[in-house]
């Protein structure tokens, strides 16, 4: 075991990005992890996954735009780099901007050119090398010689893979198996896959027929049919609420604690007839008639403590209750406990049915009420923390727009040397200009990346750092989940979860969608 050089991380990152083989990626990651000193293995694991241990550093494109001359020989090790980023993250108050610039110059002057490019990318969150968390878990298991299932479960219950790397490599299987759900410590939320419509979701979940002898919710479905739960999908902030006696803690989907910002949720959970619990749900703003307000309003309200607007919590799962962990219990058992504990007014609307027509009707009513869609759920499934499997399948309308590319950014990691992140605009008929609505790098195959690099270099008008501005001629079809209010863009809205469907060579920029068409998606 030894201290790993930053150069080794950069080389491993490049090797992972260069192959599509899952096995090859895992082998590279496992080999590098296996060489790391026990004291530094968390840093190595984080860097191999393309992230820093520091949640915020205060660094952005402006502070990392101009770098000092690179070093000739690689000398930096991961421990030094982690200390440097921690010192940068700790800077605050008067004079911190100058101190941060000096610290950046000192760190980057010791890095070679490839190391500088990687350091900038990781600081900006742009290392896209294909080292997904699931791959890192497989690599940890391989390096430690342990079952991947044990690593995965411990990671889910502790909130991250990084948190259990040292346990796996140093202490072994018994240490991993000792990790459990601890009230007060967040776990990774269970996630949903997607389906284009209710029928597809039912088919994905309902492939099995429930035997007559299998336990199903009494009076809800006849034995022999395939029941599912259809939950309303609310457009709010995902929350995980932990209560231990009078202490209540609230965490977001990313496990950030936001307890102080939601005193009304704290009060609601304290009023429940239990002393220890863990709930999964959503927090959102609603109008007086119960209709949800725009997501951006909820996000803005949750971003600050207090405020005049009251946030309402709606729960859809119960993971722990008064000393009993419910993660491994069938969903219908957890939900029965939830219904007995939480008033209906504080629960997400749910229909249990085996009838496709009834499920489709429920979706229509949910949409009419102003919500996003539905999540179809397997009644027999355990709570698979941190996983996006077939037990939960979300269905929501997909909007598409024909927009114009205004600029494009050079990629990093696997996309190094390719134009990747595109800036998207809608037509403003009143001025003849294009109004920027957001950016995306999602939905692009290798072939698309190669094509668009050539295409946009032909349309280039000027450059600003890593951004290539282009003539507004190329139309692209974009799928999106909706809009959110935004002061960042001149149109006052931004695209949510935009991804490329295809480039439209059959349309001219004059035929692209207008800002009015875009605003109509949200009734704006």
């Amino acid at each position: 075991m030894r201290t790993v050089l930053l150069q080794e991380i950069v080389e491993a990152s490049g090797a992972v990005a260069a192959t599509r083989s899952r096995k090859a990626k895992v082998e590279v990651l496992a080999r590098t992890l296996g060489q790391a000193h026990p004291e530094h293995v968390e840093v190595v694991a984080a860097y191999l996954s393309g992230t820093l241990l520091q949640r915020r550093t205060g660094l952005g494109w402006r502070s990392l735009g101009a770098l000092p001359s690179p070093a000739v020989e690689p000398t930096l090790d991961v421990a030094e780099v982690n200390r440097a980023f921690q010192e940068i993250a700790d800077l605050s108050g008067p004079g911190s901007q100058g101190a941060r610039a000096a610290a950046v110059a000192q760190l980057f002057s010791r890095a070679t050119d490839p190391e500088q490019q990687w350091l900038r990318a990781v600081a900006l969150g742009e290392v896209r090398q294909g080292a997904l968390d699931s791959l890192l878990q497989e690599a940890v298991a391989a390096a430690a010689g342990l079952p991947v299932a044990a690593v995965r479960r411990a990671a889910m219950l502790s909130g991250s893979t990084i948190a259990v790397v040292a346990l796996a490599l140093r202490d072994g299987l018994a240490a991993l198996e000792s990790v459990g759900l601890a009230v007060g410590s967040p776990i990774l939320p269970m996630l949903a896959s997607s389906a284009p419509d209710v029928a597809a979701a039912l088919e994905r979940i309902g492939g099995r027929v429930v035997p007559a002898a299998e336990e199903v919710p009494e009076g809800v479905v006849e034995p022999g049919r395939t029941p599912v739960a259809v939950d309303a999908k609310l457009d709010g902030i995902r929350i995980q609420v932990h209560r231990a006696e009078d202490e209540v803690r609230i965490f977001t989907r990313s496990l950030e604690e936001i307890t102080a910002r939601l005193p009304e949720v704290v009060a609601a959970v304290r009023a429940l007839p239990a002393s220890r619990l863990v709930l999964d749900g959503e927090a959102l703003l609603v109008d007086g008639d119960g209709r949800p307000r725009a997501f951006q309003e909820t996000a803005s309200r949750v971003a600050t403590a207090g405020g005049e607007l009251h946030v309402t919590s709606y729960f859809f799962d119960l993971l722990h209750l008064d000393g009993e962990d419910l993660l491994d219990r069938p969903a219908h058992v957890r939900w029965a406990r939830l219904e007995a504990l939480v008033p209906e007014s504080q629960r997400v609307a749910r229909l249990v049915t085996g009838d496709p027509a009834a499920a489709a009707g429920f979706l229509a009513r949910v949409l009419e009420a102003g919500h996003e869609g539905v999540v179809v759920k397997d009644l027999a499934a355990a709570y698979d923390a941190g996983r996006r499997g077939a037990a939960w399948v979300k269905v929501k309308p997909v909007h598409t727009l024909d927009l114009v590319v205004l600029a494009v950014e050079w990629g990093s990691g696997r996309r190094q040397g390719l134009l990747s992140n595109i800036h998207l605009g809608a037509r403003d008929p009143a001025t003849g200009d294009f109004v920027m609505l957001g950016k995306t790098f999602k939905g692009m195959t290798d072939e698309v990346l190669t094509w668009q690099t050539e295409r946009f270099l032909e349309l280039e008008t000027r450059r600003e750092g890593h951004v290539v501005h282009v003539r507004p001629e190329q139309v692209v079809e974009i799928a999106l989940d909706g809009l959110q209010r935004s002061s960042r863009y001149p149109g006052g809205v931004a695209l949510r979860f935009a991804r490329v469907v295809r480039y439209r060579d059959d349309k001219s920029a004059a035929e692209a969608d207008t800002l009015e068409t875009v605003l109509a998606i949200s009734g704006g």
Side-chain angles (χ1 to χ4, degrees):
M1 299 290 185
R2 57 181 177 75
T3 299
V4 174
L5 293 175
L6 179 63
Q7 178 191 31
E8 297 174 74
I9 298 294
V10 175
E11 291 174 348
S13 180
V16 169
T19 180
R20 292 188 176 186
S21 167
R22 187 180 187 91
K23 180 180 179 181
K25 290 178 187 288
V26 170
E27 288 176 349
V28 171
L29 297 172
R31 182 168 58 250
T32 309
L33 278 171
Q35 296 170 347
H37 191 281
E39 293 183 3
H40 306 142
V41 71
E42 290 95 341
V43 181
V44 172
Y47 288 2
L48 288 174
S49 66
T51 61
L52 297 174
L53 287 182
Q54 294 73 28
R55 192 175 183 87
R56 294 182 178 87
T57 62
L59 299 176
W61 271 107
R62 179 170 297 181
S63 54
L64 297 175
L67 299 178
S69 299
V72 177
E73 297 292 334
T75 59
L76 282 171
D77 64 52
V78 295
E80 292 176 295
V81 174
N82 183 56
R83 284 196 297 271
F85 276 122
Q86 188 59 53
E87 290 171 2
I88 292 171
D90 291 340
L91 293 171
S92 63
S96 61
Q97 186 173 350
R100 186 173 291 110
V104 167
Q106 182 178 16
L107 171 63
F108 278 75
S109 66
R110 293 191 55 203
T112 63
D113 183 63
E115 291 172 340
Q116 283 190 352
Q117 300 308 312
W118 187 89
L119 285 171
R120 175 158 54 187
V122 76
L124 297 175
E126 294 190 348
V127 176
R128 303 184 186 100
Q129 61 194 28
L132 302 175
D133 202 48
S134 60
L135 287 176
L136 184 61
Q137 291 169 1
E138 291 181 35
V140 171
L146 299 175
V148 68
V151 175
R152 182 175 293 128
R153 182 171 178 81
M156 294 169 188
L157 293 174
S158 63
S160 77
T161 301
I162 307 302
V164 301
V165 170
L167 282 179
L169 294 175
R170 183 187 61 221
D171 301 323
L173 185 60
L176 288 183
E177 291 179 339
S178 69
V179 177
L181 189 155
V183 177
S185 298
I187 67 172
L188 295 175
M190 185 169 177
L191 304 175
S193 56
S194 299
D197 51 45
V198 169
L202 290 172
E203 182 178 353
R204 186 174 303 177
I205 289 180
R208 66 185 185 87
V209 174
V210 180
E214 184 174 337
E215 182 184 5
V216 296
E218 183 178 355
V220 172
V221 66
E222 299 174 4
R225 297 183 65 185
T226 308
V228 297
V230 188
D231 283 9
K233 188 178 190 310
L234 309 186
D235 193 14
I237 302 295
R238 182 85 174 263
I239 56 171
Q240 185 180 125
V241 183
H242 292 238
R243 175 183 169 186
E245 303 299 341
D246 284 338
E247 182 182 6
V248 176
R249 302 183 69 185
I250 306 172
F251 303 91
T252 66
R253 175 184 175 130
S254 62
L255 309 189
E256 176 188 3
E257 184 168 1
I258 56 171
T259 307
R261 305 175 198 171
L262 296 175
E264 58 269 69
V265 177
V266 171
V269 172
R270 278 183 179 156
L272 297 176
S275 58
R276 297 179 66 84
L277 56 78
V278 179
L279 290 160
D280 195 357
E282 295 272 341
L284 69 158
L285 294 172
V286 296
D287 291 329
D289 60 359
R291 291 186 65 85
R293 302 180 73 158
F295 172 82
Q296 189 67 10
E297 293 185 58
T298 295
S300 297
R301 165 60 184 82
V302 174
T304 57
E308 297 180 359
L309 298 176
H310 182 89
V311 172
T312 303
S313 52
Y314 297 91
F315 298 107
F316 51 77
D317 221 321
L318 179 63
L319 313 184
H320 179 94
L321 180 61
D322 288 336
E324 181 184 4
D325 286 346
L326 301 172
L327 290 170
D328 296 326
R329 301 298 301 274
H332 66 83
V333 172
R334 301 195 308 272
W335 299 339
R337 303 282 184 87
L338 177 73
E339 291 174 9
L341 175 71
V342 178
E344 184 178 2
S345 61
Q346 297 177 44
R347 299 198 309 267
V348 169
R350 169 175 293 146
L351 172 70
V352 177
T353 182
D355 183 0
F362 183 78
L363 170 60
R365 294 192 296 274
V366 166
L367 295 175
E368 178 64 24
H371 299 299
E372 274 194 308
V374 296
V375 183
V376 181
K377 300 179 177 179
D378 187 341
L379 290 172
Y383 190 93
D384 205 355
R387 300 284 290 170
R388 190 187 302 277
W392 288 9
V393 183
K394 59 187 175 183
V395 179
K396 54 185 180 178
V398 176
H399 304 286
T400 62
L401 293 169
D402 290 329
L403 303 176
V404 174
V405 178
L406 307 179
V408 60
E409 300 172 7
W410 288 106
S412 60
R414 185 180 176 188
R415 296 187 177 188
Q416 187 77 35
L418 297 169
L419 288 175
S420 176
N421 203 12
I422 56 177
H423 298 201
L424 301 163
R427 282 192 303 120
D428 184 351
T431 64
D433 293 330
F434 293 90
V435 181
M436 187 171 173
L437 302 172
K439 311 175 186 179
T440 188
F441 55 81
K442 298 182 182 299
M444 299 172 183
T445 64
D446 290 346
E447 292 75 14
V448 167
L449 287 166
T450 300
W451 177 87
Q452 73 179 32
T453 300
E454 296 175 358
R455 170 63 170 160
F456 294 132
L457 288 177
E458 293 173 356
L459 299 177
E460 179 180 356
T461 58
R462 61 187 173 89
R463 297 192 185 190
E464 290 181 348
H466 68 293
V467 179
V468 177
H469 294 265
V470 299
R471 296 194 303 275
E473 298 177 6
Q474 181 62 55
V475 177
V476 59
E477 183 178 355
I478 296 294
L480 63 149
D481 289 353
L483 301 174
Q484 64 186 41
R485 295 180 184 177
S486 173
S487 59
R488 181 177 182 182
Y489 299 119
V493 296
L495 309 176
R496 293 192 65 204
F497 305 110
R499 57 270 189 197
V500 171
V501 177
R502 56 176 171 157
Y503 280 99
R504 298 294 301 266
D505 291 330
D506 59 330
K507 281 195 171 185
S508 67
E511 298 173 286
D513 286 320
T514 64
L515 181 60
E516 181 181 14
T517 300
V518 173
L519 294 175
I521 290 176
S522 62

